[in-house]
Amino acid sequence: MAAAPEHPSTALLEARNLTTFPQLFGVDFALARGTVAALDGPSREPKTWLLQVLAGLRRPDAGAVLFDGVRIDELGDHELREVRQRRFGFLFADGMLVPELTTAENCALPQMLAGADRAAAMDRAAGMLRDFGLERVRDRFPGQLSAAQAERLTVARAMAHRPNVIFADSPELTASTTAELLDAARAHGIAVVLATADPALLARAEQVLRLGERAPELAVAA
């Protein structure tokens, strides 16, 4: 990234007085490396909007988003795309696996889209597939996987390039797979922003940002 840090900070990801009409007003929070922040609330839409703004998929109307001290909301489209591809990982609600690609190719895809050499990307993907118990199905296509295997593949794909932050927008994962995600992310020092309403997952987060009709409330684990 070309821009220099605007303010020195120990936080990896920050929101400062973030506003995006009509969903978000005055959001402030900071995420440390290797920790989990959960976005909670009665409606999915504000959580999705905030996650997208933090991940550089949508620009705020006011306020600032800082990643590693740099205001990513002010970056150009090319620089912002590089941050998303190289430093962020994503888990969407529907998984979004590519049916024409094998398990290994799906896992390596984000790295190759970011410009990584295919052989190197496939090698890193192979290691992540081993970690998630998918090595034996590396040559199968998504339609040939069990539901549990497909879930673990989406997590392995999000982590294969060792991002700094994983953004998980209400992923349709079982509790056990989500627990695997959080444990693996912490083990690798990867921060997670998780939109969820599951009380068990909220309890595992270091901080919970509750989004409702009033100003957001931040709860930090003891």
Side-chain angles (χ1 to χ4, degrees), residues 27-186:
V27 175
D28 288 285
F29 97 114
L31 179 68
R33 299 175 189 274
T35 63
V36 178
L39 309 182
D40 184 25
S43 173
R44 178 180 173 182
E45 192 171 40
K47 294 181 286 188
T48 294
W49 277 51
L50 177 55
L51 186 144
Q52 290 179 349
V53 172
L54 293 174
L57 296 170
R58 183 190 299 269
R59 295 187 188 269
D61 293 316
V65 180
L66 291 90
F67 170 69
D68 215 7
V70 174
R71 281 196 62 173
I72 63 172
D73 60 292
E74 292 186 336
L75 294 178
D77 291 343
H78 176 73
E79 289 181 302
L80 188 54
R81 183 167 58 252
E82 284 201 342
V83 172
R84 290 197 303 263
Q85 290 179 338
R86 299 178 185 276
R87 311 291 295 275
F88 295 165
F90 294 91
L91 277 168
F92 299 102
D94 59 2
M96 296 183 69
L97 296 175
V98 181
E100 296 83 9
L101 299 181
T102 66
T103 295
E105 290 168 338
N106 264 287
C107 193
L109 182 61
Q111 301 172 68
M112 291 189 286
L113 290 175
D117 174 76
R118 177 182 171 86
M122 292 292 282
D123 186 61
R124 285 191 291 268
M128 192 59 65
L129 293 178
R130 284 194 298 272
D131 290 347
F132 282 90
L134 296 170
E135 186 177 21
R136 295 174 63 181
V137 297
R138 57 169 290 128
D139 295 322
R140 295 184 186 177
F141 294 94
Q144 298 172 313
L145 302 178
S146 69
Q149 289 169 338
E151 281 189 2
R152 292 201 299 276
L153 174 55
T154 63
V155 175
R157 181 185 59 183
M159 293 187 59
H161 61 300
R162 296 291 194 270
N164 297 106
V165 186
I166 290 176
F167 296 91
D169 186 9
S170 303
E172 295 178 356
L173 305 177
T174 62
S176 60
T177 302
T178 307
E180 283 187 75
L181 160 66
L182 299 183
D183 291 341
R186 285 191 172 104

